[in-house]
Amino acid sequence: MHNPTPGLPEFDYVNPASLAEASQFLADHQGEARPFMGGTDTFVRMRDGFWKERYIVDIKNLDGMGTISFDPETGLTIGAAVNMNKVVASPVVNEHYPLLAEAAHSVASYQLRSRATIVGNICNASPAGDTIGACLVYGGSLKVHGVDGIREEPLSSFFVGPGKTVLKPGDIATAITFPPSPAGHAGRYLKLGRNALSDLAIVGVTVLGYPNGETPSGYCFRIALASVGPTPLVAAEAETILAEKPITAAVIAEAAQAAMDSCSPIDDVRGSGRYRKYMVRNLTQRGVVEVFSLISEQWTVD
Ligand SMILES: Cc1cc2nc3c(=O)[nH]c(=O)nc-3n(C[C@H](O)[C@H](O)[C@H](O)COP(=O)(O)OP(=O)(O)OC[C@H]3O[C@@H](n4cnc5c(N)ncnc54)[C@H](O)[C@@H]3O)c2cc1C
């Protein structure tokens, strides 16, 4: 017999007319309905039998979800339905938040990025999500529409476990917002995969740095780690070392060691926990050296 949806279970496609209708439907069908954007996680998880929702709710055409806007005073807003290729190609993202474009470009292939979204990457809450680190270090927050109204959820407190977030039934992230990026900043996303293209990170290290007159070192660094814990991590101790001590090769090595000590990765098909820890140290060291060489006039990469 002909199977119209090979590999996928049967489900109902729901196309709400408004955010209010979408949130209400999701809240009324808790446990059996799920929103989707690009669907690049959703349909794979359904095909593989991990998710068995009866209703799949298409929210990507709802108002205001498809645009990128920038204001020098208030910062950047990326609608939840904006796909990663649009982020990679966006002039304002490349001028003011280049690390976001670099991170989005590291995701899989052009074809996948024409569907996949940054907000989907975040809401999927995989510790390996490639764009999450850049969103964390730029101070991102999600705008969330729920049955009780609209609120902001800072990414710093958004992730509660693998695949788990603070979102409640009926909640829909409508956009991610960022404050103005720090003057003179530079960033790097160093992703270690099993191949150069189209693989999830064994380890991902995001480094953002900028001159800062208020820290003893004269600089501020933000460092996020992917695939080395149950949630995306911030290497806070490493950041403190780089803020408090004059930056030298030895201090960068100390910060990289602190980043390594801050994570507790598991063994899995992509790499052992021990290997991941050492790669966190090596990639943090490399990332900080590269970023420091860009933000400091006296320093060059060895
Ligand atoms: C072949 C392949 C390669 C991949 N490679 C990578 C890679 O290199 N790096 C990487 O990080 N990921 C990778 N992924 C995973 C996936 O593409 C990303 O996580 C992507 O960003 C998900 O975005 P999406 O819009 O497709 O999410 P969807 O599948 O639409 O949604 C993902 C999850 O988020 C929830 N969600 C989505 N939007 C919202 C919203 N607005 N409000 C509330 N909840 C929401 C959904 O309910 C679902 O639980 C890959 C996937 C495939 C199939």
Side-chain angles (χ1 to χ4, degrees):
M1 199 175 82
H2 174 64
N3 178 356
T5 54
L8 280 173
E10 287 219 350
F11 59 86
D12 283 347
Y13 171 84
V14 179
N15 194 12
S18 67
L19 271 171
E21 192 185 311
S23 284
Q24 197 59 57
F25 185 91
L26 288 162
D28 290 346
H29 295 85
Q30 185 175 343
E32 55 172 8
R34 179 181 292 274
F36 77 98
M37 275 293 163
T40 61
D41 282 309
T42 301
F43 292 110
V44 173
R45 303 290 286 173
M46 289 180 71
R47 179 201 64 190
D48 293 347
F50 294 109
W51 292 351
K52 301 180 192 303
E53 273 74 2
R54 184 169 158 208
Y55 303 104
I56 293 300
V57 182
D58 192 345
I59 51 175
K60 63 182 173 297
N61 299 315
L62 297 177
D63 272 359
M65 301 275 225
T67 53
I68 297 179
S69 60
F70 175 70
D71 178 320
E73 300 294 320
T74 55
L76 179 72
T77 300
I78 299 178
V82 174
N83 71 43
M84 293 200 191
N85 281 336
K86 287 191 181 148
V87 173
V88 171
S90 159
V92 284
V93 172
N94 281 282
E95 186 178 346
H96 299 283
Y97 303 83
L99 182 53
L100 209 47
E102 182 183 348
H105 191 258
S106 78
V107 173
S109 59
Y110 185 88
Q111 289 86 341
L112 186 105
R113 294 194 296 271
S114 72
R115 300 292 304 179
T117 62
I118 287 190
V119 168
N121 199 224
I122 292 167
C123 293
N124 192 55
S126 160
D130 281 314
T131 65
I132 296 174
C135 294
L136 277 167
V137 299
Y138 277 127
S141 291
L142 288 178
K143 265 194 195 165
V144 177
H145 180 281
V147 282
D148 300 326
I150 295 169
R151 66 182 197 279
E152 293 271 323
E153 289 288 357
L155 283 197
S156 52
S157 52
F158 184 71
F159 304 101
V160 296
K164 294 197 167 33
T165 72
V166 298
L167 292 182
K168 301 190 297 281
D171 282 350
I172 293 170
T174 58
I176 179 156
T177 63
F178 301 94
S181 53
H185 82 275
R188 280 309 314 277
Y189 179 52
L190 298 174
K191 173 180 179 178
L192 178 71
R194 287 171 298 185
N195 53 44
L197 279 174
S198 227
D199 194 21
L200 293 176
I202 301 169
V203 168
V205 176
T206 307
V207 179
L208 179 118
Y210 53 95
N212 183 311
E214 289 170 16
T215 60
S217 75
Y219 296 91
C220 188
F221 280 84
R222 297 184 193 151
I223 301 171
L225 309 176
S227 266
V228 290
T231 63
L233 300 177
V234 169
E237 178 63 26
E239 293 177 348
T240 302
I241 291 167
L242 294 166
E244 291 187 349
K245 300 187 179 179
I247 296 181
T248 62
V251 167
I252 293 175
E254 186 187 340
Q257 182 66 45
M260 172 176 167
D261 295 342
S262 72
C263 61
S264 47
I266 54 165
D267 300 337
D268 72 9
V269 287
R270 297 202 299 282
S272 70
R274 184 165 181 273
Y275 175 63
R276 287 185 150 111
K277 276 181 89 78
Y278 280 100
M279 290 315 294
V280 164
R281 187 188 69 183
N282 295 355
L283 295 181
T284 302
Q285 183 157 2
R286 190 193 305 170
V288 173
V289 167
E290 288 183 17
V291 168
F292 193 51
S293 74
L294 294 170
I295 60 175
S296 145
E297 282 164 14
Q298 301 90 39
W299 183 279
T300 51
V301 181
D302 303 319

